[in-house]
Amino acid sequence: MTFGNIQPILSKPIDQATALSPKEKELLSNYAENAETNYSCLIPRDIMDEFLAFANDVYRKHHNEATGMLVGYYLHDSKYPEKKIALATAFLPAYGDSTRVTCEFSYEDSVRHSEFCKANNVLPIIWIHSHPGFGVFYSHTDSTTLKAFFAKEHQCGVVVDNLNVAYKCFKIIDGKQCVIQAYGFDKCDALQAGKIDVYKYNS
């Protein structure tokens, strides 16, 4: 994987998120105004469900861990440039070697993910993997991987116990691994209500 060896990434104005509709951009701007922290990890429910379906399928077939990448945007509103939003817009599965307690990206996965990001003008923002039945924590290997490959300011990592439906999010801040909150929301509900009502992906 080479995602960790890129130049520093600057957030883009919400208006430059080309795949988002004008209404979605408006909702994100309103969210930024009221965000309680300067970094928000937003994972729409349908995208998290895609990962859960993938992880459950891998477990059902092989009883192994599963991994992949959530790609999307790193954004800010022009009125609140200090408030950054990492917004997932797609889940890209990985098919490297895996066991009951390990999972890897293959070279082909990394190439495919890089090509998708370039073609769609998005970033690899969230490394996600499963701990089926083992709980939500980072092993030493997980921590090393996060710090080596997913430590940029726009990135974080999510571990999911897909059997117990639990989640935990980690981010490298000032060189240290920290637990942060990942938030979910329903895109259809947001558009109908005229606001993004987030909820916590609970550990």
Side-chain angles (χ1 to χ4, degrees):
M1 293 180 293
T2 59
F3 289 140
N5 299 319
I6 58 178
Q7 295 299 312
I9 297 295
L10 299 178
S11 59
K12 295 195 301 188
I14 289 171
D15 283 345
Q16 293 182 20
T18 54
L20 302 181
S21 69
K23 185 63 176 179
E24 289 173 318
K25 293 176 183 179
E26 178 186 344
L27 296 180
L28 277 176
S29 292
N30 292 339
Y31 171 82
E33 180 179 0
N34 299 301
E36 295 180 356
T37 62
N38 283 346
Y39 178 88
S40 295
C41 174
L42 299 184
I43 307 173
R45 179 76 259 179
D46 62 322
I47 293 174
M48 184 65 86
D49 285 345
E50 282 188 53
F51 173 74
L52 284 172
F54 175 68
N56 288 339
D57 186 59
V58 169
Y59 183 78
R60 183 170 57 252
K61 292 177 178 177
H62 308 290
H63 283 249
N64 288 348
E65 290 187 1
T67 191
M69 185 73 64
L70 302 184
V71 301
Y73 291 114
Y74 184 51
L75 302 170
H76 68 269
D77 183 82
S78 57
K79 295 180 181 178
Y80 310 97
E82 76 283 0
K83 294 184 177 182
K84 314 298 186 184
I85 300 172
L87 173 68
T89 59
F91 165 61
L92 305 181
Y95 301 102
D97 292 337
S98 65
T99 70
R100 292 185 67 233
V101 294
T102 64
C103 53
E104 298 178 356
F105 284 73
S106 68
Y107 173 77
E108 291 77 13
D109 291 326
S110 295
V111 170
R112 179 168 46 86
H113 294 177
S114 293
E115 289 177 346
F116 182 95
C117 288
K118 289 178 183 177
N120 293 278
N121 198 27
V122 293
L123 297 168
I125 57 173
I126 303 166
W127 167 47
I128 190 167
H129 75 289
S130 65
H131 278 186
F134 294 112
V136 286
F137 62 94
Y138 258 16
S139 67
H140 175 74
T141 299
D142 294 337
S143 296
T144 299
T145 300
L146 185 74
K147 194 165 187 177
F149 298 107
F150 305 102
K152 299 298 183 181
E153 61 271 20
H154 64 290
Q155 294 176 314
C156 61
V158 173
V159 60
V160 180
D161 183 338
N162 50 305
L163 300 190
N164 295 308
V165 194
Y167 314 83
K168 189 164 281 188
C169 188
F170 297 87
K171 182 171 178 58
I172 301 299
I173 300 174
D174 296 331
K176 297 181 180 179
Q177 178 179 294
C178 302
V179 176
I180 65 169
Q181 185 62 57
Y183 293 99
F185 68 97
D186 186 284
K187 290 187 287 187
C188 291
D189 286 351
L191 289 170
Q192 291 176 0
K195 63 177 180 177
I196 296 177
D197 286 319
V198 298
Y199 55 85
K200 295 179 179 180
Y201 283 113
N202 291 324
S203 60

